[in-house]
Amino acid sequence: MRLIEQTFLAFAGLLLAIGLLMVFSASMTSEPSLQDEAFLRRQLASMAVALLAGLTGAMLPAACWRRAAPWMLLAVMALLLGTLMPTIGTRINGARRWLRVGPFNVQPSELAKIVLPLFVCRMAATGGWRGDGMALLGIVVTLGLVVAEPDLGTTLFLALTSGVALWLSGWPLKRFVIAAGLGLPVVASIGVLRPYQLQRLQGFLASWHDVDAASYQVKQSLVAIGSGGVFGSGLGNGQQKLSFLPEANTDFVYAVIGEELGLLGTLGVLMLFVGLYLTGLRLIASLRRGSFEHSASLTLLTGLVLQAGLNMAVVVALAPPKGISLPLVSYGGSNLVVSAATLGLVLSFARSTPAPAQRTSIADAGDVIDCRTPSPLA
């Protein structure tokens, strides 16, 4: 187990190192200045917070996270509600997704990527209609707050990971069919696809038969990857990041990797995520299937790697642009902290030993959070 943990952490460390390097490279302009180095300094500060979050996630026992899940979801809902208030939330590019905390912007929807799966697994593990009802209520309210920002990409991602959590917790297929049947009319009545979202979807579909009709982001991303060839143009020598490729250090940092490090660089990053997922599966293989620890850790691990896959798919025009960052690699404090915390939680749950027939009551959601259980890392 120790060797597997070390390998797991090695994959994560390599991705963090590549991310730090590429964020700095993608942020450089044709005439590097102190402003370009500010991105590196902020990313280093975010990385320090991320490492602390990962360490905290790994040190606290699984029982603590299980008991805290309902309270954490309430806190995230309050933060999401705050982003929608003009006096509290920060509007960037027409969307209210951030809260200003000192020099940093905090994105509560990123926190929901951890907290919502924990809550769903916590409620589903209790069994019965009350537990399932509470899980569905948490999903509906959270998705409603995120889609109102608006953030369709994150909404769909949270819906997908919530479905994974319910499936791993033992939900039968017929419940998913019923939930989908009830949810589709609600989605249709809201009118989720706004004009710019519909334009993105049309541009993505057009890119398969008419490159000129594709969206600007997709075209520039493909130009960046294509110009990199097999070996790339060299670290720091990319041209598309110079005001051509939008969001070069965040959503499209994978395109910069393709241009500067070539096909070998993009495949290398892809294989690092594959290795991270496979070693993570090996870590949690001993957990009892259907337990909170197994369902939550597998959902979080799958969600992290799935987000990476979606980001790469967008960059290479296999999926419409969704504004989803590349975990552990893209610039951004919220993304980095949440990704590191996810890995810490997987380590914490992997070292737990749930009782063979552990079953909790729905009333535990109101219990006082008790983290005095000795940590397996202690």
Side-chain angles (χ1 to χ4, degrees), residues 21 35 37 39 70 115 156 161 204 215 219 221 230 244 310 344:
L21 186 64
Q35 183 178 359
E37 296 180 3
F39 287 99
V115 176
L156 296 175
T161 54
F204 163 70
S215 64
K219 286 191 288 187
S221 176
V230 177
F244 296 103
L310 288 174

Side-chain angles (χ1 to χ4, degrees), residues 26-84:
S27 303
M28 287 193 300
T29 59
S30 57
E31 297 181 0
S33 62
L34 293 177
Q35 183 178 359
D36 300 328
E37 296 180 3
F39 287 99
L40 178 62
R41 290 195 297 269
R42 284 198 289 266
Q43 190 72 351
L44 284 171
S46 298
M47 185 172 292
V49 178
L51 293 176
L52 180 60
L55 182 62
T56 301
M59 293 297 294
L60 292 179
C64 179
W65 295 111
R66 179 179 60 82
R67 288 184 176 274
W71 302 104
M72 291 193 298
L73 185 64
L74 288 175
V76 169
M77 287 180 179
L79 293 175
L80 288 171
L81 188 61
T83 61
L84 302 178

